[in-house]
Amino acid sequence: MTVSSTSGHRTGVKLGVDVGLARVGLAGCDPQGMLATPIKTLKRDPKRNSDIRLLVREAGERNATQIFVGLPRTMAGGETGSAQMAREYAQLLSSAVQAAGFDVEIRLIDERLSTVSAHRSLHAAGVQGRNHRKVVDQVAAVGILQQAIDMQRSLSMDVGDVVSTGEDSVSAGPNGPGPEESEGPMDPARREGGDE
């Protein structure tokens, strides 16, 4: 594990992941953890998990130390189907990086309304609505990762909830308690935008 003796959190390249029904946005940051930038959008492949394999390969090629998967909680802090989907995806990713022999820590981080914010940012930048779908997942992933690395620098500690391979639970982190079981439809705010 690569931990800075002065910062109290893992240093090195980190990745951010925005999980949608049809696509997965991927972002990365520099080894100093200062700036998140978009990498690519992957097509979801729930049957063969080719997107998971591509993420693992990307993590290996970039020598990533952490991957932050966005956890879309409701504004009240609850969880819906979107959050469960993100948890399951994070578990698959954790198992895959472990099977590949990489020392990459997977963490879930609260990312309420990241896709909505991404659409607003693209609109403000003058990107036409019909072109949002091509990049909105990457922009959302940038938001997830930037939030995580900013919090790490500010708090001088790791943030988010660690995903433990083979377990349903995760440890509580600075963004609140561990999993909160909740049934219900997917958060409409989460589904607004490019995740259909």
Side-chain angles (χ1 to χ4, degrees), residues 35-153:
L35 183 65
T37 55
I39 296 176
K40 63 177 67 171
T41 299
L42 305 173
K43 183 178 179 181
R44 276 294 301 273
D45 182 13
K47 292 183 180 177
R48 294 179 299 158
N49 291 325
S50 60
D51 51 322
I52 296 278
R53 290 194 299 275
L54 287 170
L55 272 173
V56 171
R57 187 172 73 192
E58 198 77 37
E61 288 175 355
R62 293 173 182 267
N63 293 316
T65 61
Q66 288 179 318
I67 301 175
F68 291 95
V69 177
L71 181 66
R73 288 192 167 112
T74 65
M75 295 310 291
E79 294 189 9
T80 64
S82 295
Q84 185 58 39
M85 179 176 68
R87 286 189 183 281
E88 290 169 1
Y89 196 89
Q91 285 284 341
L92 286 171
L93 184 55
S94 180
S95 296
V97 295
Q98 186 178 57
F102 296 145
D103 181 24
V104 183
E105 186 178 66
I106 312 300
R107 287 179 172 260
L108 286 160
I109 188 137
D110 193 335
E111 55 105 345
R112 300 170 211 198
L113 300 178
S114 68
T115 301
V116 174
S117 297
H119 274 289
R120 287 179 182 153
S121 297
L122 288 168
H123 181 73
V127 178
Q128 295 295 324
R130 64 181 176 274
N131 295 323
H132 284 198
R133 184 175 294 186
K134 298 175 185 175
V135 294
V136 69
D137 304 284
Q138 294 175 45
V139 174
V142 166
I144 289 164
L145 181 56
Q146 192 66 54
Q147 173 189 340
I149 60 180
D150 286 349
M151 287 174 64
Q152 283 185 328
R153 280 201 317 272

